Amino acid sequence: MSPRSARLARLSRSVTFSACHRLHSKSLSDEENLKLFGKCNNPNGHGHNYRGGKIDPVSGMVMNLTELKEYMQEAIMEPLDHKNLDKDVPFFSEVV
């Protein structure tokens, strides 16, 4: 297989918007809402940039943003942020 045929690329298009919100279910107690939604349950709300996805029927969320932030920190920021990818990240030592 030639190097040219082995190359892959992914092209996507997304639409985002920014808005303030509060996640709060009237069917849950204040304590349950705080445990499930964390800072997203702030009575005055807070903002995010949003993208679409399948909505969980229990939480009403596409994804728990706190978990996403933690995963991004572990999988992207810690190994890649402020690094020389060619020298500091073994995966990229052989990949352009």
Side-chain angles (χ1 to χ4, degrees), residues 35-80:
K35 183 177 179 181
L36 179 61
F37 300 119
K39 69 180 181 180
C40 294
N41 186 247
N42 181 341
N44 295 318
H46 74 281
H48 288 289
N49 295 324
Y50 292 88
R51 294 184 70 171
K54 292 183 180 180
I55 297 172
D56 180 278
V58 175
S59 69
M61 296 187 289
V62 173
M63 181 175 197
N64 184 312
L65 297 177
T66 300
E67 291 175 4
L68 175 61
K69 182 178 179 180
E70 290 168 358
Y71 179 75
M72 289 176 62
Q73 180 65 31
E74 177 185 326
I76 298 169
M77 298 306 291
E78 288 175 13
L80 303 177

